[in-house]
Amino acid sequence: MNHFLDIHKTGAAELRGMIDQARAMKEARKGLPKGAPDAEQPLKDHIVALIFEKPSTRTRVSFDVGVRQMGGQTLVLSSADMQLGHGETIADTARVLSRYVDLIMIRTFEEEKLLELAKHATVPVINGLTDRTHPCQIMADILTFEEHHGPIKGKKVVWTGDGNNVAASFLHAAGQFGFDLTFAGPEQLDPEPEFVEFARSKGVKVEIERDAAKAVEGADLVVADTWVSMHDKDAAARHNLLQPYQVNAELMAHAKPDALFMHCLPAHRGEEVTDEVMDGPQSVIFDEAENRLHAQKAIMRWCLEK
Ligand code: CP
Ligand code: NVA
């Protein structure tokens, strides 16, 4: 079963194949209206369930549009409206949904729920974000980087702020795509050692740096994310800890002159990043958002291929 659960659980060659396919599929539909079908219809006669236990704009819309462009149909489900939100087990939900649909995407809280769903589903499952990782986002980010700056292999990425779910998937990607990653954030919010160890085990350099300006030296890409993720409760403490890691023009000036800026969005302008960076010439945030669509189409194709 081709589940897409995490970047470190999928082979590097297969990940590379998905990025290349995403780029080709994006290119092939240049100039078409958003609702026009792709020339190839790999999801024809397929139904995809999109389950959300947390809010979403990009993941919800990009998956839905992507399925339609590839000829399939979607069911967008909120767990609050399902029996899942009222005591039915995730295992039984997996078994039942597998009788109705061909593919399941879920955005949830605990990673265990995703793993339990995948264990009991007889159709592929895609991770649309958990408290621990966000692999679809980073596939879109790799695509975005390479469109602007060519191969990401050997480049320096600097993650600023919280060592959260998006940072974790960046660390997985560092290992699988072969780029170095510097984490610039407070000790209290370091990424879990397991993620750092995975990247290092693949031979890439991972540095932990408390001084944001020092961290950003020589960066090809600077990345920020919200200081308070959807599952976090300690907002005030996080704001205090993370203030020194705000990405502003002064910080960007320490990176390479052509360094890109990325943010998975939604952003809190004036907190983790300033308007001048968000809207500045180095920012590729809306390309990233668009590329969720193209990257996930390639992921869905891969899921259904075997
Ligand atoms: N970046 C991202 O996953 O956005 P949404 O929460 O809007 O889906
Ligand atoms: N780290 C953020 C990402 C949102 C797409 C969160 O989990 O809320």
Side-chain angles (χ1 to χ4, degrees):
M1 186 80 62
N2 277 358
H3 295 307
F4 187 75
L5 300 180
D6 265 320
I7 288 178
H8 69 305
K9 292 182 177 166
T10 309
E14 291 180 274
L15 294 166
R16 169 48 58 194
M18 290 181 222
I19 297 292
D20 294 345
Q21 175 152 69
R23 203 161 171 176
M25 288 170 80
K26 179 177 181 179
E27 187 62 32
R29 55 173 303 119
K30 273 223 165 95
L32 291 179
K34 311 289 190 293
D38 286 347
E40 285 182 66
Q41 295 280 277
L43 261 64
K44 183 174 181 289
D45 301 332
H46 287 73
I47 301 186
V48 181
L50 307 172
I51 305 173
F52 290 91
E53 296 210 281
K54 288 175 177 170
S56 167
T57 296
R58 280 144 289 270
T59 306
R60 185 188 308 264
V61 178
S62 59
F63 266 104
D64 200 340
V65 169
V67 172
R68 291 173 198 222
Q69 290 180 350
M70 294 195 293
Q73 297 174 58
T74 54
L75 292 167
V76 183
L77 306 164
S78 145
S79 64
D81 301 326
M82 297 169 72
Q83 300 294 9
L84 176 61
H86 300 275
E88 187 165 23
T89 67
I90 194 98
D92 285 345
T93 304
R95 294 178 182 115
V96 170
L97 287 181
S98 297
R99 303 289 180 108
Y100 299 132
V101 306
D102 302 289
L103 181 61
I104 302 170
M105 191 286 311
I106 185 165
R107 164 168 288 193
T108 187
F109 289 86
E110 298 83 13
E111 183 179 59
E112 291 70 36
K113 281 194 180 176
L114 166 79
L115 300 180
E116 182 80 353
L117 187 79
K119 184 173 164 197
H120 296 281
T122 55
V123 299
V125 171
I126 297 176
N127 175 0
L129 179 147
T130 70
D131 295 355
R132 277 192 99 210
T133 60
H134 195 5
C136 291
Q137 178 65 52
I138 288 11
M139 292 297 279
D141 294 353
I142 303 290
L143 174 61
T144 308
F145 183 90
E146 296 199 336
E147 280 179 342
H148 285 272
H149 273 0
I152 196 161
K153 194 171 164 46
K155 295 288 198 285
K156 176 177 173 179
V157 174
V158 178
W159 177 273
T160 62
D162 181 16
N164 64 15
N165 46 3
V166 182
S169 288
F170 248 115
L171 281 162
H172 286 152
Q176 299 289 54
F177 289 92
F179 57 87
D180 297 334
L181 191 142
T182 299
F183 170 80
E187 193 176 351
Q188 295 89 328
L189 300 175
D190 272 349
E192 289 177 44
E194 177 188 320
F195 301 127
V196 174
E197 280 154 24
F198 173 80
R200 286 182 178 154
S201 77
K202 297 285 179 181
V204 300
K205 193 157 67 170
V206 179
E207 291 183 325
I208 309 282
E209 173 58 65
R210 305 295 169 214
D211 180 333
K214 227 165 125 185
V216 163
E217 292 293 339
D220 297 288
L221 169 63
V222 178
V223 193
D225 187 14
T226 178
W227 288 344
V228 187
S229 285
M230 291 181 272
H231 60 278
D232 288 328
K233 292 177 182 74
D234 48 346
R238 288 171 160 272
H239 275 254
N240 292 332
L241 282 170
L242 290 162
Q243 195 66 52
Y245 299 95
Q246 181 191 67
V247 180
N248 48 40
E250 197 191 323
L251 186 66
M252 283 304 288
H254 292 271
K256 282 189 182 163
D258 66 345
L260 300 175
F261 170 75
M262 287 194 192
H263 191 308
C264 65
L265 306 178
H268 299 77
R269 287 169 176 259
E271 293 182 10
E272 72 270 13
V273 58
T274 57
D275 283 335
E276 58 187 342
V277 173
M278 284 282 279
D279 302 324
Q282 289 164 281
S283 171
V284 290
I285 53 175
F286 299 114
D287 291 340
E288 272 183 276
E290 176 182 344
N291 283 338
R292 292 294 302 277
L293 169 68
H294 307 295
Q296 288 157 192
K297 285 169 72 177
I299 292 168
M300 287 190 277
R301 276 186 86 148
W302 174 82
C303 285
L304 292 169
E305 254 159 27
K306 273 191 204 154

